[in-house]
């Protein structure tokens, strides 16, 4: 599985990377903003993207729209400090497959990725 990590915080990008090291994941890139993320998605076609909402320039919701246009099979997990439930629902409506609030801990991230990967396996097996 190929992962793109998108967050304007370098600390958050590293936390996500560190907490997913036990998964069979190749991190194909890290992006500090939506525009950089869209460029990487165009070039690399990741299987999974972790995506922050609040970023400079192109925010996460606009980036999610672009990702879904470019690569609709991509599994996007929103990881954000926004605790606004409406924003979470909008992200899910736009195609995100999961949603986590910051600060994330290793257990929550692992559970969210397990759910994301299990959904993927179920779809492949026709469940």
């Amino acid at each position: 599985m190929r992962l793109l990590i998108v967050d304007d915080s370098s600390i958050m990008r590293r936390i996500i990377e560190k907490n997913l090291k036990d998964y069979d994941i190749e991190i194909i890139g890290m992006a500090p903003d939506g525009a950089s993320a869209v460029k990487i998605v165009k070039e690399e076609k990741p299987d999974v993207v972790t995506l922050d909402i609040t970023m400079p320039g192109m925010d996460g919701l606009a980036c999610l729209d672009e990702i879904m246009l470019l690569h609709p099979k991509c599994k996007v997990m929103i990881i954000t400090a926004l605790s606004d439930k409406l924003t979470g629902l909008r992200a899910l409506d736009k195609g995100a497959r999961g949603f986590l609030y910051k600060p994330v801990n290793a257990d929550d991230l692992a559970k969210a990725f397990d759910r994301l990967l299990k959904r993927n396996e179920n779809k492949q097996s026709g469940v």
Side-chain angles (χ1 to χ4, degrees):
M1 178 178 13
R2 298 160 39 89
L3 171 67
L4 169 62
I5 300 170
V6 185
D7 199 297
D8 60 332
S9 165
S10 62
I11 294 168
M12 194 66 217
R13 291 191 304 266
R14 294 210 185 342
I15 287 170
I16 294 167
E17 176 185 32
K18 178 184 167 213
N19 285 313
L20 295 177
K21 69 180 189 304
D22 293 335
Y23 286 83
D24 185 20
I25 294 175
E26 173 191 0
I27 296 175
I28 60 160
M30 294 193 195
D33 56 58
S36 300
V38 168
K39 183 178 180 195
I40 294 170
V41 169
K42 279 182 188 174
E43 295 170 1
E44 299 291 335
K45 300 279 193 253
D47 302 303
V48 178
V49 173
T50 62
L51 181 62
D52 189 13
I53 296 282
T54 307
M55 297 182 290
M58 179 187 288
D59 73 5
L61 291 177
C63 182
L64 177 60
D65 286 337
E66 291 294 317
I67 291 170
M68 291 294 99
L69 284 173
L70 292 167
H71 189 34
K73 292 184 178 182
C74 185
K75 313 287 185 270
V76 178
M77 178 181 299
I78 302 295
I79 301 178
T80 185
L82 291 178
S83 58
D84 174 17
K85 289 189 183 206
L86 181 59
T87 302
L89 292 172
R90 286 180 58 213
L92 293 171
D93 191 48
K94 290 175 175 276
R97 304 284 178 91
F99 199 91
L100 280 177
Y101 293 111
K102 293 178 185 174
V104 297
N105 62 47
D107 288 341
D108 289 343
L109 191 60
K111 287 176 189 173
F113 259 78
D114 288 343
R115 283 191 306 268
L116 188 73
L117 299 177
K118 189 172 194 87
R119 281 186 201 151
N120 188 34
E121 289 169 7
N122 287 343
K123 284 186 176 186
Q124 288 176 352
S125 67
V127 174

